[in-house]
Amino acid sequence: LSADSDLDTTLWTLAMGYTLARGSWGNFDVIGGFRYLGIDAHTNYRLAADVTGPGGNGVVLGRNGRLSGNDNIWNGIAGVRGRILVGDTGVFVPYYFDIGVGNSRLTWQTFVGVGYQTGWAGVQLGYRYLSYDQGNSGLVESLTMGGPYLAVNFSF
């Protein structure tokens, strides 16, 4: 008895923003756009015997097989983003939150971190979390991804 599974994802977020407030404290922007999630999943399995239906009617799963599926999920999103500056030190706290619907019942993403900007270049370190709720109607009912991120940014 054995199985191996593979889940490949492609994730794109494209959004435009508008700065509502800016000052010596930082900035606050509203954003709108879309998020795309492409999923390709497959499982290869090897069983000790065939699995048959009720009453022994027909093979439901053979000894060896592959289960696979893919899904393309599009959602419109809206949210906020910005930076909170820590004095004139070049240090800042980036923040981001969006929420969306479409092919998903609900999707949302957030991140927060700490960064340093000097002139036209900067670096950030933070934590990002992304969630999808597909309900019972998708290849994946729910999907969450979270973890640290490192970003380099350029201002021009």
Side-chain angles (χ1 to χ4, degrees):
L1 302 171
S2 65
D4 62 85
S5 296
D6 189 31
L7 177 68
D8 296 318
T9 61
T10 301
L11 179 67
W12 286 90
T13 301
L14 179 63
M16 296 186 330
Y18 180 77
T19 302
L20 289 180
R22 179 185 310 268
S24 60
W25 53 272
N27 66 292
F28 179 82
D29 303 347
V30 293
I31 61 166
F34 71 90
R35 180 175 300 119
Y36 165 77
L37 175 64
I39 299 174
D40 183 24
H42 54 83
T43 299
N44 298 312
Y45 65 87
R46 290 162 292 289
L47 304 173
D50 291 336
V51 176
T52 59
N57 296 329
V59 174
V60 176
L61 288 176
R63 291 178 188 251
N64 296 307
R66 178 181 179 102
L67 303 171
S68 63
N70 59 38
D71 206 353
N72 294 297
I73 303 164
W74 293 89
N75 291 290
I77 60 167
V80 297
R81 71 173 179 207
R83 289 183 175 187
I84 300 171
L85 303 177
V86 181
D88 291 330
T89 63
V91 176
F92 63 93
V93 176
Y95 62 90
Y96 179 96
F97 175 79
D98 73 37
I99 191 165
V101 295
N103 294 130
S104 295
R105 190 177 343 179
L106 178 69
T107 179
W108 62 275
Q109 176 180 216
T110 188
F111 71 74
V112 67
V114 64
Y116 180 75
Q117 184 83 28
T118 178
W120 55 271
V123 65
Q124 304 178 35
L125 179 63
Y127 188 84
R128 177 181 177 198
Y129 188 85
L130 174 67
S131 177
Y132 277 87
D133 178 6
Q134 292 297 102
N136 296 327
S137 63
L139 174 66
V140 176
E141 288 183 17
S142 66
L143 175 68
T144 59
M145 296 181 270
Y149 75 88
L150 174 64
V152 176
N153 54 282
F154 302 99
S155 298
F156 51 92

